[in-house]
Amino acid sequence: QVRLVESGGGLVQPGGSLKLSCKASGSILRLNTMTWRRQAPGKQRELVASLSSDGNADYLDSVKGRFTISRDDTERTLYLQMDGLKPEDTAVYSCNADVTTRQSRRTFWGQGTQVTVSP
């Protein structure tokens, strides 16, 4: 069983920063591509950033230059540094990971962490 647990969300003023973490645990042989997604109330979930195991990163256009995705495979942790936050960044942020275990290769999801950007 693989588990992903996010942390680091909270309430921040516009222009502020937050750093999200996503810790993976369980019977993991390999962490492949990992992503951060978000879902705001009444909106569809969108891909914010992704990071492959060989270091290729992609970002949603609206967060380019403000957000940075990174990972520490020794710690099995994915990060999202969010700077210059805007009210429209308010959402539940969740991570997912393409994971290889002894039995299979599949995608696992975390529960999410709330990010609220408000004066």
Side-chain angles (χ1 to χ4, degrees):
Q1 183 69 10
V2 174
R3 188 174 179 218
L4 301 178
V5 179
E6 300 96 336
S7 61
L11 173 63
V12 64
Q13 293 186 341
S17 297
L18 284 174
K19 186 172 184 177
L20 305 183
S21 299
C22 173
K23 175 76 172 179
S25 61
S27 302
I28 298 169
L29 290 183
R30 178 180 172 87
L31 289 171
N32 304 300
T33 296
M34 302 180 77
T35 73
W36 286 101
R37 298 172 189 262
R38 68 186 181 188
Q39 187 166 23
K43 295 187 178 181
Q44 288 193 333
R45 183 180 293 170
E46 61 183 356
L47 177 62
V48 176
S50 65
L51 182 59
S52 69
S53 57
D54 58 2
N56 290 317
D58 285 307
Y59 296 92
L60 182 68
D61 282 348
S62 62
V63 308
K64 285 180 180 177
R66 299 189 297 122
F67 291 10
T68 303
I69 190 171
S70 62
R71 59 194 284 172
D72 183 337
D73 286 346
T74 300
E75 296 294 328
R76 294 180 172 177
T77 302
L78 180 71
Y79 301 100
L80 186 67
Q81 176 67 44
M82 305 186 293
D83 300 317
L85 282 161
K86 304 176 181 180
E88 51 264 42
D89 295 318
T90 295
V92 174
Y93 285 71
S94 56
C95 68
N96 74 5
D98 174 10
V99 180
T100 301
T101 67
R102 293 187 187 278
Q103 293 79 28
S104 65
R105 177 174 175 171
R106 53 164 287 195
T107 299
F108 293 87
W109 287 85
Q111 292 296 313
T113 185
Q114 176 69 46
V115 171
T116 302
V117 185
S118 179

